[in-house]
Amino acid sequence: QVQLVDSGGASVQAGGSLRLSCAASSTVYTMDCMGWFRQVPGKERERVATFAREGSTSYADSMKGRFTISRDNAKNTLYLQMNSLEPEDTAMYYCAALEYSRSGTCFGIRISDFVYWGQGTQVTVSS
């Protein structure tokens, strides 16, 4: 059983930055795939960025160039650096992890495949 604790959410103005953290109870470098997701009330949860065990990353198109996902193996923590925040980024952000994937990476992984989830951290961006 892996526990994930999300933190770092806050209220900021448009153009500002935040860094979200996801502290894991298990060694993050053994997870085939970890990621950040976000959800707005009334909408489906969407993928923000993923980090595969071997170090490859991927981003949703609207986050490319603004968000950076990273992992600190020594601290067992996954991060999401968010810059140039926009009001449309307002959402609850969740960290998730999957120990084993068929490919050993995040390739082909659906949101429903992630087994472990953090409790979420709220990000609010005002214009």
Side-chain angles (χ1 to χ4, degrees):
Q1 186 75 11
V2 178
Q3 293 183 330
L4 304 175
V5 179
D6 304 330
S7 64
S11 295
V12 297
Q13 292 202 330
S17 298
L18 284 174
R19 188 178 78 158
L20 306 184
S21 299
C22 171
S25 62
S26 182
T27 50
V28 293
Y29 64 82
T30 63
M31 300 291 169
D32 279 352
C33 184
M34 296 188 73
W36 285 99
F37 302 82
R38 69 185 187 184
Q39 189 169 21
V40 175
K43 293 189 177 181
E44 292 187 356
R45 191 168 296 188
E46 64 173 345
R47 180 180 67 90
V48 174
T50 57
F51 196 108
R53 180 164 52 89
E54 87 286 7
S56 62
T57 60
S58 67
Y59 299 87
D61 288 343
S62 62
M63 289 73 165
K64 289 180 181 178
R66 299 191 300 125
F67 292 5
T68 302
I69 190 171
S70 62
R71 184 183 69 191
D72 187 327
N73 293 337
K75 295 182 178 180
N76 287 327
T77 301
L78 185 75
Y79 299 101
L80 182 69
Q81 178 67 43
M82 304 187 295
N83 299 326
S84 302
L85 283 163
E86 304 167 351
E88 292 74 23
D89 295 318
T90 295
M92 184 72 79
Y93 284 72
Y94 299 89
C95 170
L98 176 64
E99 289 183 282
Y100 305 109
S101 70
R102 184 174 299 178
S103 65
T105 69
C106 296
F107 179 76
I109 301 300
R110 300 166 298 181
I111 292 178
S112 58
D113 292 328
F114 285 87
V115 176
Y116 305 108
W117 289 87
Q119 83 286 2
T121 185
Q122 178 67 37
V123 172
T124 302
V125 184
S126 59
S127 57

